[in-house]
Structure formats: structure tokens, C-alpha cells
């Protein structure tokens, strides 16, 4: 069984956009006709969703914070029409920002003081002052606040995660749709450049790069997993192994990580510095996994479990300091968080959104500091998006805008 982790989940979201595009509501290409991230060159979905799209509802897939404001992205569905959804939160009520038709699956915003944006972007060779980049179909969006504009995507590969260490400079990762190959793209605020990452250390059947974190445009760590030996029948040699790679601005190199079981996945990573990264995921298909990179080797950090039966999946992480991280996901399809205090992980079952009767997993988390984090997710029971806010050591629900009711 392969989990629907961060990368696969986002790919399914992009496929949903393609499915609704087939109904005539959106096109899977940019205005110039070029294929965008998450689609093949012909504009058809690179991957198909295993779950049919809802007839109506609101979904938030990603969140990122910059300059005191957090931006969450996703989409709304009303009948056969999909519309991108961008919401902003600065500590009070959530507000919806104007955005075009389509679907947004992930976002990254440059985390830097306002006065430093122009200087750091210029030093990185960036040609745009856009603070955030959001992945989506039919277009990739750049901007912040109430000003967002479409940019022509790189075309071809399934890009599911991104990190923008400075304004106008981002690194995106994913894989190719037909022949499984890990790929990346860099964005300088004007154009994308696509390349191939290092292949896994073992012959493989499939590969997913589902998370990336950059401390600078020339220093990133990306994580995911790869499989081999899967035959559709019981096979003692079948494996799902974690994968980690480092980008130095020119090439990728493997960072051998620890496999605690035969089946393991990295779903996300967050770096404080080049020698301080934490990756999270799942092992044995149902237990949380956390590992720390110290610049030379990975070390397993035991993560507590809600119950010995497992059924807990971590899909996102944010580490604003060396002594604090927040990882979120689900336990039995309900919201859960694990926080790191520099020595140990602590697991917390979070408040469930009102009215939910089916599931309400959290899809993404972003921490502006060790004192404040925002996580977003969707309640499939009522088709509403929601947020959980971490402040002063506790989590509480935060009502997002739900334009489709």
C-alpha cells in the first residue's frame, strides 16, 4: 500500500483541476498555451485522482507566512466549476483575496523582513519582487496581498512542493508522470528552468519528491520516497524507502537517510540552516516518522504516537527555530499535531471543526515563530475549510472564509 502523502495528495489535487477542466470550466494550459506544473505537455492531467471531485465545497491545501501575514491557498468547487481560493490571516479574521479560476495546491512565501526583500532578492539574481509563489492549474500565481498574477509554468513534470527563500527566487520539486524520474525547477522571478535530480540509490519502480526547504537559493534539502519489489503479490523484498537530496545551486546529491522499517516515506522537510533540517513522514504505513539532519548524517527522532495501532500520518512541518518545530497531519482522519521543543516530540489531538462527520485532516502548517503557527485543512463532512492556530503553547480553531456553502 502506498500512502497518499504530501506529494501524492497534491498530485491528486492537480488532477482534480484537470478533471473539472474537462467539463469545460478551465483549461489546463496557461494563456500562452504552454503546459503548466502538474500537467503533461498536452494539457491533460499527469495523474488522475482516485476520489471523484465534490459537487461543492471549499478546500485549503497549503499555507505560508511572510511579513506578519499568512496566506492559505486551495480552491472552491460549485457544480462543474472550480475557482482558486486565496485567504490571508494577520492575527484577526481571515480575508479572501481576489484570484482567478482554477485550483491551487501549494504555496511558499519568502520569509524576510520587508526592508530586506529587495536587497536579498537582488543578491540572489531575482528579477521579480513577488513575495509568494503558488502552484496550481491552469496557472502558477505570483504575488501577495490583493495583487496576484499568473506566470507561465515550466510544463511537463508534476511539481508538488516549493520553497522560496527570497522574493522572486524559488526551487520546485516533483517527478515526471510517465517514466518515474525525480525532477526540479528553479524560478528567478521571470522564468522557470527544469532539470533532473539525482536518481535513488537503488533500482526503483516509482519515486515521489514531496517536500523541499531552502535556506538560500543555493542550499536546499528535498525529501520523498521510492519503491521497488512491488509485484501486486506478497514479496518479502518489496520496499518503500525514504529519499533525501541536497541542492547546492548547481547539482543535487543524495543524503542517505535512515529506514526504520521496510515501508517508510518522507512527506515534508523544514530547514533552519544548512546543518539543521527536520524531515517527517510515516513508517510501516501508519506510524509517524521524524529524522534530523545535522549537516553530515540523519538521525531518527522518536515521535510519540496517539495509539499503538497507529493510523497517524504526518504530511507537513515548519521549524522557525532550532528548538521548535510543528508537524501536522491526521490521526484516524482527524487533525493532529506534533511539536518539537529541541529535545522531544509531543503529540496533540487538535479540536475538530464543527459539523464534521467524516474526516478533517490537516494538509499544511507554517510557523512565523516558535510562538505562532497556522495549519489549514478541510472537513469533508461539510465541505468547509478550516484553520488551527498555535499560540502560547496551545492550539485553537480559527474560522476561515468559505465562499461556497
Amino acid at each position: 500500500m502506498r500512502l497518499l502523502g504530501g506529494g501524492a495528495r497534491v498530485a491528486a489535487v492537480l488532477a482534480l483541476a484537470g478533471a473539472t477542466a474537462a467539463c469545460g470550466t478551465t483549461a489546463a494550459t496557461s494563456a500562452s498555451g504552454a503546459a503548466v506544473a502538474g500537467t503533461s505537455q498536452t494539457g491533460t492531467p499527469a495523474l488522475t485522482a482516485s476520489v471523484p471531485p465534490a459537487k461543492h465545497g471549499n478546500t485549503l491545501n497549503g499555507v505560508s507566512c511572510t511579513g506578519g501575514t499568512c496566506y492559505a491557498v486551495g480552491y472552491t468547487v460549485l457544480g462543474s466549476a472550480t475557482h482558486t481560493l486565496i485567504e490571508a490571516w494577520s492575527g484577526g479574521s481571515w480575508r479572501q483575496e481576489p484570484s482567478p479560476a482554477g485550483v491551487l495546491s501549494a504555496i511558499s512565501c519568502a520569509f524576510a523582513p520587508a526592508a530586506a526583500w529587495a536587497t536579498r532578492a537582488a543578491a540572489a539574481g531575482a528579477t521579480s519582487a513577488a513575495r509568494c509563489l503558488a502552484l496550481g492549474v491552469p496557472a502558477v500565481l505570483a504575488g501577495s496581498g490583493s495583487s496576484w498574477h499568473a506566470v507561465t509554468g515550466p510544463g511537463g513534470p508534476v511539481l508538488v512542493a516549493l520553497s522560496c527563500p527570497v522574493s522572486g527566487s524559488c526551487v520546485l520539486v516533483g517527478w515526471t508522470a510517465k517514466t518515474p524520474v525525480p525532477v526540479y525547477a528553479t524560478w528567478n522571478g521571470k522564468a522557470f528552468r527544469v532539470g533532473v535530480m539525482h536518481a535513488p540509490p537503488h533500482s526503483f519502480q516509482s519515486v515521489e519528491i514531496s517536500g523541499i526547504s531552502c535556506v538560500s537559493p543555493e542550499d536546499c534539502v528535498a525529501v520523498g520516497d521510492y519503491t521497488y519489489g512491488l509485484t501486486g503479490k506478497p514479496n518479502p523484498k518489496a520496499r518503500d524507502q525514504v529519499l533525501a537530496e541536497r541542492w547546492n545551486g548547481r547539482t543535487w546529491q543524495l543524503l542517505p537517510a535512515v529506514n526504520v522499517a521496510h515501508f517508510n516515506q518522507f512527506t515534508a522537510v523544514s530547514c533552519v540552516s544548512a546543518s539543521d533540517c527536520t524531515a517527517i513522514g510515516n513508517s510501516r504505513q501508519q506510524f509517524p516518522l521524524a529524522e534530523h539532519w545535522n549537516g553530515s548524517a540523519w538521525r531518527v527522532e522518536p515521535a510519540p504516537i496517539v495509539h499503538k495501532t497507529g493510523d497517524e500520518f504526518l504530511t507537513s512541518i515548519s521549524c522557525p527555530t532550532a528548538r521548535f518545530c510543528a508537524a501536522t497531519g491526521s490521526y484516524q482522519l482527524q487533525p493532529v499535531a506534533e511539536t518539537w521543543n529541541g529535545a522531544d516530540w509531543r503529540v496533540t489531538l487538535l479540536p475538530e471543526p464543527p459539523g464534521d462527520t467524516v474526516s478533517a485532516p490537516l494538509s499544511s502548517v507554517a510557523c512565523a515563530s516558535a510562538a505562532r503557527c497556522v495549519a489549514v485543512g478541510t472537513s469533508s463532512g461539510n465541505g468547509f475549510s478550516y484553520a488551527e492556530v498555535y499560540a502560547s503553547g496551545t492550539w485553537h480553531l480559527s474560522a476561515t472564509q468559505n465562499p461556497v456553502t
Side-chain angles (χ1 to χ4, degrees):
M1 172 186 178
R2 185 152 189 162
L3 302 175
L4 192 62
R9 175 182 53 78
V10 172
V13 168
L14 295 176
L16 182 147
T20 53
C23 297
T25 59
T26 60
T29 56
S30 66
S32 64
V36 300
T39 65
S40 70
Q41 292 290 353
T42 60
T44 55
L47 295 180
T48 56
S50 59
V51 180
K55 293 183 178 179
H56 71 279
N58 313 264
T59 296
L60 288 177
N61 294 312
V63 63
S64 187
C65 301
T66 180
T69 300
C70 296
Y71 296 97
V73 299
Y75 62 96
T76 61
V77 177
L78 183 59
S80 62
T82 61
H83 199 283
T84 60
L85 179 61
I86 301 176
E87 299 193 23
W89 183 81
S90 300
S93 300
W94 288 84
R95 65 181 185 275
Q96 184 180 357
E97 304 291 1
S99 60
V103 166
L104 294 175
S105 57
I107 183 173
S108 181
C109 299
F111 187 77
W117 278 328
T119 301
R120 293 182 65 185
T127 57
S128 169
R131 301 177 194 172
C132 307
L133 190 70
L135 285 176
V137 171
V140 178
L141 300 183
S144 62
S146 59
S147 178
W148 296 84
H149 62 277
V151 297
T152 301
V158 181
L159 297 172
V160 298
L162 71 165
S163 182
C164 303
V166 297
S167 298
S169 181
C170 305
V171 182
L172 304 82
V173 292
W175 60 90
T176 53
K178 294 183 178 180
T179 303
V181 175
V183 296
Y184 74 99
T186 57
W187 185 63
N188 64 3
K190 184 179 180 180
F192 289 91
R193 182 175 67 88
V194 179
V196 177
M197 300 175 67
H198 201 293
H202 191 284
S203 59
F204 59 96
Q205 291 172 288
S206 65
V207 60
E208 291 183 3
I209 304 295
S210 52
I212 184 172
S213 181
C214 300
V215 296
S216 79
E218 295 80 31
D219 199 336
C220 306
V221 171
V223 299
D225 67 295
Y226 64 98
T227 65
Y228 61 90
L230 302 180
T231 62
K233 299 179 180 180
N235 180 6
K237 295 183 179 180
R239 298 288 187 273
D240 190 352
Q241 305 284 268
V242 293
L243 179 64
E245 302 195 19
R246 187 170 193 171
W247 168 250
N248 64 9
R250 298 176 303 278
T251 60
W252 291 89
Q253 69 175 101
L254 293 175
L255 303 178
V258 181
N259 285 285
V260 299
H262 289 171
F263 293 88
N264 317 268
Q265 288 180 318
F266 278 155
T267 53
V269 63
S270 183
C271 297
V272 179
S273 69
S275 59
D276 189 351
C277 299
T278 302
I280 54 93
N282 309 281
S283 68
R284 290 172 286 174
Q285 300 181 332
Q286 58 184 346
F287 294 98
L289 172 66
E291 297 191 24
H292 180 261
W293 170 255
N294 63 6
S296 59
W298 290 94
R299 178 179 61 86
V300 175
E301 294 176 341
I305 58 176
V306 177
H307 192 273
K308 64 181 180 180
T309 55
D311 206 15
E312 180 183 347
F313 304 99
L314 298 179
T315 55
S316 183
I317 186 172
S318 180
C319 302
T321 72
R323 296 187 61 83
F324 181 83
C325 298
T328 58
S330 65
Y331 167 69
Q332 294 186 346
L333 300 180
Q334 300 305 317
V336 69
E338 301 229 8
T339 52
W340 170 257
N341 62 8
D344 301 293
W345 285 94
R346 175 187 177 188
V347 64
T348 305
L349 288 175
L350 304 188
E352 297 179 17
D356 177 64
T357 58
V358 183
S359 66
L362 289 169
S363 55
S364 183
V365 64
C367 298
S369 68
R372 188 173 78 166
C373 302
V374 177
V376 297
T378 302
S379 165
S380 64
N382 53 24
F384 279 13
S385 65
Y386 74 103
E388 304 264 6
V389 173
Y390 178 87
S392 302
T394 60
W395 293 88
H396 65 270
L397 283 168
S398 177
T400 57
Q401 296 291 319
N402 281 279
V404 174
T405 58

